[in-house]
Amino acid sequence: MLLRKKHRLSLFAAAFASWLSINSAYVSAEDRVFDVVAPFEIGGLDPAISGFIFQRMQITETLLEADEKGQPIPALAEKWSVSDDGKRWTLTIRQGVKFHDGSDLTAAAAAHSLNVSRNSTGMLRNAKIESISAQGNDVVITLAEPFKPLTALLAHSSTNILAPTAYDADDKVQKIIGTGPYQVTLLEPPQRLAAQRFDGYWGEKPSIEKTTYLGAGRGETRSLMAESGGAELVFQLDPPSIARLKRAKDVNVLIGAVPRVVMLAANAGSGATAPVEVRKALSLAIQREGIAAAVLRAPGTGATQMFAENVAAWHDPSLPALAYDPQASRELLRAQGWIPGADGIVEKDGERLRLKLITYSDRPELPLIATALQAQLREVGVEVEVAVENASAIPAAHNDGTLQLALYGRNYALVPDPLVTLLADFGNGGAEWGPLGWNNPQFSETMTALLAADDPAEQQRLRNKIVALVQEELPLIPIAWYRQSIAVSNKVEGAAIDPFERTFGLSTMRWAE
């Protein structure tokens, strides 16, 4: 136990030393610096990889933004229009916008950034784009076929607009030169960056002048930094720390609903979980509200369906809730030929029902939930091996087909319209963070119909049908709905949780008097 405590303290000391070095590297002792700590590493300069960090730190911006309901609003593009056939989009670039290198934002510069994004792994690949060009002060996007959620793609961090000087001759990003209210002064992937207010910003100037970002994967480390005053804003708290931080006199804890869901993905294409009845049995064995209350410390967040009420367009209040019924679970398994052995674990043809569940610790609640699921599934005769690995282990197991179970948090606000994330996750039998081996023609047809629908009532009917199909066959098994948590120093005012997790809110905060 003593060695474990020393190990934890050494990890904290290393992170804290890193934080100290970032400040001493570029600010004097009398300067006030707003320090942000979050679990995300800066994986690279490509916006498709780490653009969300630069966006949240308000260093980069996109052509369009989203309001608190996810509806598109102007940003670097002050207006937009769509042709009658839905294939030609014209976005007028805002005048007077400067990049951090002093150059002007032009339609040509914006089109260049979008073309780089289009040719990478960013979200623009979801639309069938024929060309992106600059015509005068307009960016013109021509599609092979209509794609109504394009506004949501143009608000995604992978479409961050960078200055021409940010790229090398091969269009690889060499520097982060954006248009946001903050500009980079220090960038040291994978953990840290520093930024200061950009006096040439086109919008309202922020009150806070200097800021830093530190990527710290361990939830304990982040919570200790909040408690010790090592950071002004700590993003994503582990549940055991929330109660302790609420008692801290110098810290305010904010909690808010976000469109993120804890999912259990089961291989629907091969292995023991391929039959829908087995996936239903797994679902029936899960005591969601117990997990929500005991593990997440958030009663009422057990997922009764894929989306919570805060995602109103995708929540169907008439849909029968996912139930907890271990006896029904056992009966389904027996009907599939899984018979309890001497130790209670079910067997079929001499093989035990043993499944490997992969999860990761970047979100500290996930290993705790995995352990709870392990115990609950054991009650119905399913033996689960929990493997806490890097987050990359899930896509790797998905891609090579070895994945059996995976537990993760899926953010359906990656773009402001969840439809785009669903299209990416469920297309072609399932992508890395979607289902594995699930092909349902009715589901695909309904998604296509929703993309083409214009009538709001018909759109809602189709969304409800999509959610019902997932509930019926459970290629992904919802476990809990997220509430995001942040710890904010009482030295600052104006902090709030962005429901779409697009910004840390630096520009709307100020130092307390």
Side-chain angles (χ1 to χ4, degrees):
M1 181 64 73
L2 181 60
L3 288 174
R4 187 181 302 170
K5 288 183 177 178
K6 287 182 177 179
H7 177 63
R8 290 175 178 172
L9 287 173
S10 67
L11 288 170
F12 170 67
F16 195 73
S18 179
W19 168 81
L20 287 174
S21 67
I22 192 173
N23 285 280
S24 61
Y26 85 109
V27 297
S28 59
E30 65 269 23
D31 285 328
R32 290 193 294 183
V33 181
F34 189 99
D35 300 302
V36 177
V37 178
F40 318 113
E41 288 192 342
I42 304 168
L45 302 188
D46 186 343
I49 298 172
S50 297
F52 71 99
I53 296 176
F54 305 127
Q55 185 181 62
R56 291 184 188 198
M57 291 296 290
Q58 295 182 272
I59 294 165
T60 55
E61 297 178 303
T62 47
L63 290 189
L64 300 180
E65 253 297 339
D67 65 16
E68 60 183 13
K69 295 183 179 179
Q71 296 302 306
I73 57 175
L76 294 180
E78 61 183 359
K79 61 181 180 180
W80 66 93
S81 61
V82 187
S83 63
D84 291 341
D85 64 3
K87 296 182 180 181
R88 180 183 171 92
W89 291 64
T90 303
L91 300 104
T92 301
I93 298 301
R94 188 180 298 276
Q95 295 295 288
V97 177
K98 296 281 188 182
F99 286 110
H100 297 153
D101 63 357
S103 62
D104 292 325
L105 170 66
T106 63
H112 176 253
S113 276
L114 293 181
N115 274 312
V116 173
S117 175
R118 173 191 168 201
N119 293 322
S120 73
T121 57
M123 278 287 176
L124 283 181
R125 62 184 176 177
N126 289 285
K128 295 183 179 179
I129 297 174
E130 289 187 341
S131 66
I132 302 175
S133 63
Q135 297 185 13
N137 193 45
D138 295 333
V139 171
V140 178
I141 302 176
T142 304
L143 306 178
E145 59 185 51
F147 190 79
K148 292 177 183 177
L150 185 61
T151 52
L153 299 186
L154 295 174
H156 186 255
S157 59
S158 66
T159 66
N160 284 338
I161 303 301
L162 301 179
T165 53
Y167 304 91
D168 65 12
D170 297 320
D171 281 337
K172 302 295 184 184
V173 180
Q174 300 300 302
K175 301 177 182 178
I176 300 299
I177 305 174
T179 59
Y182 291 94
Q183 60 181 335
V184 172
T185 57
L186 177 71
L187 182 54
E188 296 183 351
Q191 279 194 300
R192 56 187 187 167
L193 68 80
Q196 68 181 22
R197 183 173 58 204
F198 176 46
D199 291 332
Y201 183 56
W202 61 272
E204 185 175 350
K205 308 299 187 293
S207 173
I208 292 172
E209 183 177 351
K210 294 182 179 180
T211 183
T212 69
Y213 174 87
L214 175 66
R218 288 179 60 89
E220 274 186 348
T221 300
R222 296 196 302 277
S223 296
L224 285 169
M225 293 186 75
E227 195 170 16
S228 67
E232 276 65 46
L233 188 152
V234 173
F235 187 83
Q236 197 170 296
L237 308 173
D238 58 302
S241 298
I242 291 176
R244 187 180 78 249
L245 289 171
K246 283 183 175 180
R247 295 191 296 268
K249 63 178 182 178
D250 297 326
V251 177
N252 298 312
V253 175
L254 304 181
I255 299 175
V258 294
R260 186 186 291 271
V261 187
V262 181
M263 289 289 191
L264 181 66
N267 192 327
S270 64
T273 56
V276 64
E277 291 81 6
V278 173
R279 299 195 298 276
K280 288 181 176 180
L282 298 181
S283 179
L284 286 165
I286 298 169
Q287 224 294 28
R288 294 169 172 81
E289 192 50 36
I291 290 173
V295 179
L296 297 177
R297 315 283 178 91
T301 60
T304 60
Q305 58 181 274
M306 194 168 189
F307 293 99
E309 292 179 358
N310 66 303
V311 192
W314 288 88
H315 179 83
D316 182 2
S318 68
L319 190 65
L322 292 169
Y324 171 58
D325 190 338
Q327 183 56 37
S329 174
R330 296 185 189 98
E331 291 171 0
L332 277 175
L333 290 173
R334 184 177 289 274
Q336 288 294 304
W338 294 100
I339 308 302
D343 62 353
I345 300 300
V346 296
E347 300 176 353
K348 182 179 183 179
D349 300 328
E351 296 290 332
R352 292 161 65 89
L353 183 46
R354 188 172 194 270
L355 301 171
K356 181 179 180 179
L357 187 159
I358 303 173
T359 192
Y360 49 92
S361 59
D362 289 6
R363 292 190 170 272
E365 66 278 3
L366 291 179
L368 301 175
I369 295 172
T371 302
L373 290 174
Q374 181 184 49
Q376 292 178 0
L377 292 172
R378 178 68 173 77
E379 290 296 312
V380 299
V382 180
E383 184 179 9
V384 174
E385 172 197 355
V386 174
V388 181
E389 304 184 18
N390 293 326
S392 60
I394 293 176
H398 188 288
N399 290 332
D400 67 18
T402 60
L403 184 126
Q404 294 178 316
L405 296 175
L407 181 72
Y408 52 85
R410 189 56 171 150
N411 184 358
Y412 289 100
L414 286 172
V415 293
D417 186 346
L419 174 60
V420 178
T421 304
L422 290 170
L423 284 168
D425 285 357
F426 283 80
N428 300 316
E432 293 175 342
W433 296 103
L436 174 59
W438 187 63
N439 287 288
N440 184 309
Q442 190 178 11
F443 183 90
S444 300
E445 291 166 5
T446 307
M447 294 283 276
T448 301
L450 178 57
L451 279 170
D454 292 314
D455 177 62
E458 176 64 5
Q459 291 173 342
Q460 189 59 59
R461 186 189 71 80
L462 293 168
R463 283 192 291 264
N464 289 349
K465 186 175 180 180
I466 287 168
V467 172
L469 287 169
V470 173
Q471 192 102 326
E472 181 180 336
E473 297 199 5
L474 294 172
L476 298 177
I477 303 173
I479 305 297
W481 299 315
Y482 260 98
R483 289 178 184 167
Q484 188 55 269
S485 57
I486 62 174
V488 186
S489 167
N490 61 12
K491 296 177 183 178
V492 295
E493 299 173 342
I497 292 178
D498 176 6
F500 284 90
E501 299 186 310
R502 298 175 58 77
T503 172
F504 292 129
L506 294 170
S507 65
T508 58
M509 286 185 274
R510 59 193 175 277
W511 295 107
E513 296 298 331

